[in-house]
């Protein structure tokens, strides 16, 4: 056995794997890693093996499993929260943190909201949110931090609009959701549920909330409200980080940027290619519920498994020139940035729409947009298997 590689490690470039993952890339598709507490686990880094394992029922998403792997001390501390806080966290992971048949039943409701027709109907609302954020950033003046001035609020308020949260209530909602993983989690959760219960009675049209209610009826209102909060918690940071890091990648590829400005019809493919390259969710966690044989190697029952997307999406056996930003690939949407199998991101088409509108509006409204600091000085959030930027200074 080769020496395990420490996981997770910090990226030095926002859209490239951590330099210390080179050994994992060389050992594709499966190798050993060591977590922060010395526990060993498996890193999956091959595209084909990822598709196979994420569809295997022996690869469990059950967060309550005592063998569930944690990537850092903060995640470990959350497992020692009090009973009330754990109950809230359990509700907020009730879609991604359970297995079938429970997962299948909840996902069926969640999928009912994400129809192509509804997402198309939401586009004018999403455009209005993005237009407002760009206008506020421009009014504030250059230079600006694209993370706090644009990417984060554009993603968050777009989700609010999609879910049917009225604009006048969005700041209140932001304050309450910000407390869901802190000491006031129970109070915040109860207040949010009370608010959503009242909102559900009004059936906001052209919204995910209304689409969910139409599927389950009044008897399923509690389940729908839980789904709404899950969407907010799981969807905001991945989308905002994809916008911020995707923008940093585009601004370092001026020839690609010019091509998009000349032909906006390329935006859908560009969003997928940026999602492949960025891979913000860099370590999808699972636990083996039974022994699994992989080409003569055994992933034993109880072993932790991490799917390292920054390497999976650069597998040379699947992608030609994987380090190149190229949205002219035959199928730019076949990346695994949204996962795969039963737990593939249910909101990925909404995320794509938000990013497409965000990038398109930035390119149109700010033709001179560029980095305000050298690319090598862009600060990446440290120590996580989820990647984000501390800030992204830009000017125009």
């Amino acid at each position: 056995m080769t020496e395990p590689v420490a996981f997770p490690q910090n990226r030095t470039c926002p859209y490239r794997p951590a330099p210390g993952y080179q050994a994992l890339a060389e050992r594709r598709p499966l190798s050993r890693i060591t977590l922060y507490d010395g526990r060993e686990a498996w890193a999956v880094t091959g595209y084909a093996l990822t598709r196979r394992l994420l569809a295997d029922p022996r690869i469990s998403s059950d967060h309550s499993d005592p063998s569930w792997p944690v990537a850092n001390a903060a995640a470990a501390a959350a497992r020692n929260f009090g009973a009330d806080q754990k109950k809230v966290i359990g509700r907020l992971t009730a879609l991604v943190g359970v297995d079938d048949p429970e997962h299948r039943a909840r996902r069926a409701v969640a999928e009912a909201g994400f129809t192509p027709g509804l997402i198309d109907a939401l586009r004018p609302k999403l455009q209005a949110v993005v237009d407002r954020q760009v206008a506020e950033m421009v009014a504030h003046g250059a230079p600006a931090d694209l993370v706090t001035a644009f990417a984060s609020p554009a993603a968050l308020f777009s989700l609010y609009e999609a879910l049917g949260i009225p604009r006048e209530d969005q700041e209140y909602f932001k304050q309450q959701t910000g407390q869901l993983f802190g000491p006031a989690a129970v109070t915040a959760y109860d207040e949010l549920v009370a608010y959503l219960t009242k909102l559900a009675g009004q059936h906001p049209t052209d919204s995910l909330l209304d689409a969910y209610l139409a599927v389950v009826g009044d008897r399923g209102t509690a389940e729908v409200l839980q789904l709404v909060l899950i969407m907010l918690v799981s969807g905001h940071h991945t989308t905002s980080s994809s916008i911020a890091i995707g923008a940093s990648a585009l601004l370092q590829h001026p020839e690609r940027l010019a091509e998009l400005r000349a032909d906006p019809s390329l935006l859908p493919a560009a969003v997928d290619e940026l999602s492949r390259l960025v891979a913000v969710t860099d370590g999808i966690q699972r636990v083996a519920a039974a022994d699994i044989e992989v080409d003569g190697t055994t992933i034993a029952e109880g072993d932790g498994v991490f799917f390292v997307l920054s390497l999976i999406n650069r597998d040379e056996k699947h992608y030609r020139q994987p380090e190149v930003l190229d949205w002219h690939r035959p199928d730019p949407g076949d990346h695994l940035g949204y996962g795969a199998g039963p737990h593939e991101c249910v909101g990925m088409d909404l995320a794509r729409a938000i990013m497409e509108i965000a990038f398109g509006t930035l390119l149109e409204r700010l033709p001179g947009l560029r980095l305000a600091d050298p690319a090598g000085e862009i600060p990446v959030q440290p120590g996580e298997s989820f990647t984000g930027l501390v800030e992204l200074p830009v000017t125009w």
Side-chain angles (χ1 to χ4, degrees), residues 183-346:
V186 177
T187 300
Y189 186 88
D190 289 344
E191 286 194 23
L192 287 167
V193 168
Y195 170 85
L196 289 170
T197 300
K198 181 179 178 181
L199 183 63
Q202 302 168 11
H203 279 265
T205 58
D206 288 337
S207 71
L208 286 169
L209 177 58
D210 193 43
Y212 290 154
L213 291 170
V215 172
V216 302
D218 292 339
R219 288 183 298 177
T221 299
E223 181 182 3
V224 166
L225 302 186
Q226 187 173 323
L227 273 174
V228 167
L229 292 176
I230 289 171
M231 296 300 168
L232 285 173
V233 169
S234 61
H236 170 223
H237 292 299
T238 52
T239 304
S240 64
S241 291
S242 294
I243 292 171
I245 302 179
S248 78
L250 275 177
L251 294 175
Q252 293 177 62
H253 291 80
E255 72 290 350
R256 299 273 74 83
L257 200 60
E259 185 181 24
L260 277 185
R261 284 201 173 100
D263 186 1
S265 71
L266 295 171
L267 273 168
V271 164
D272 268 317
E273 174 66 354
L274 286 165
S275 297
R276 177 193 73 82
L277 200 72
V278 166
V280 295
T281 308
D282 203 13
I284 296 177
Q285 295 155 269
R286 296 289 188 267
V287 63
D291 289 357
I292 304 171
E293 294 296 322
V294 177
D295 298 330
T297 298
T298 300
I299 300 176
E301 179 179 356
D303 281 356
V305 183
F306 288 81
F307 295 85
V308 188
L309 292 182
S310 61
L311 299 179
I312 292 163
N313 281 342
R314 286 171 165 79
D315 187 344
E316 297 90 344
K317 290 184 178 179
H318 188 78
Y319 298 104
R320 182 182 61 85
Q321 296 183 302
E323 292 293 342
V324 175
L325 181 63
D326 178 12
W327 40 74
H328 297 290
R329 298 180 187 277
D331 185 6
D334 78 338
H335 64 88
L336 298 181
Y338 298 106
H343 284 270
E344 185 178 43
C345 177
V346 70

Side-chain angles (χ1 to χ4, degrees), residues 19 42 51 54 73 79 96 150 169 217 285 301 328-329 351 362:
W42 294 100
R51 283 215 175 267
L54 286 178
R79 297 179 73 84
V96 298
F150 180 74
D169 296 338
Q285 295 155 269
E301 179 179 356
H328 297 290
R329 298 180 187 277
L362 283 175

Side-chain angles (χ1 to χ4, degrees), residues 36-114:
Y36 80 102
D37 58 357
R39 176 183 174 183
E40 290 194 5
W42 294 100
V44 180
T45 54
Y47 183 97
L49 182 59
T50 296
R51 283 215 175 267
R52 170 185 155 191
L53 289 180
L54 286 178
D56 192 321
R58 296 171 294 177
I59 290 290
S60 172
S61 297
D62 184 2
H63 285 34
S64 67
D65 189 315
S67 298
W68 184 258
V70 291
N72 53 48
R79 297 179 73 84
N80 296 319
F81 281 164
D84 289 341
Q85 281 182 291
K86 282 186 176 180
K87 186 181 293 185
V88 171
I89 292 174
R91 289 170 179 167
L92 295 175
T93 56
L95 181 62
V96 298
V98 296
D99 294 326
D100 289 339
E102 187 179 5
H103 167 260
R104 189 184 303 116
R106 289 175 177 164
R107 186 178 176 93
V109 177
E111 287 178 335
F114 290 100

Side-chain angles (χ1 to χ4, degrees), residues 87-145:
K87 186 181 293 185
V88 171
I89 292 174
R91 289 170 179 167
L92 295 175
T93 56
L95 181 62
V96 298
V98 296
D99 294 326
D100 289 339
E102 187 179 5
H103 167 260
R104 189 184 303 116
R106 289 175 177 164
R107 186 178 176 93
V109 177
E111 287 178 335
F114 290 100
T115 63
L118 178 58
I119 291 176
D120 284 344
L122 287 171
R123 281 181 174 267
K125 294 182 179 181
L126 304 178
Q127 184 68 63
V129 170
V130 171
D131 286 343
R132 185 169 71 246
Q133 290 307 138
V134 171
E136 288 182 8
M137 185 173 71
V138 170
H140 183 272
D145 172 16

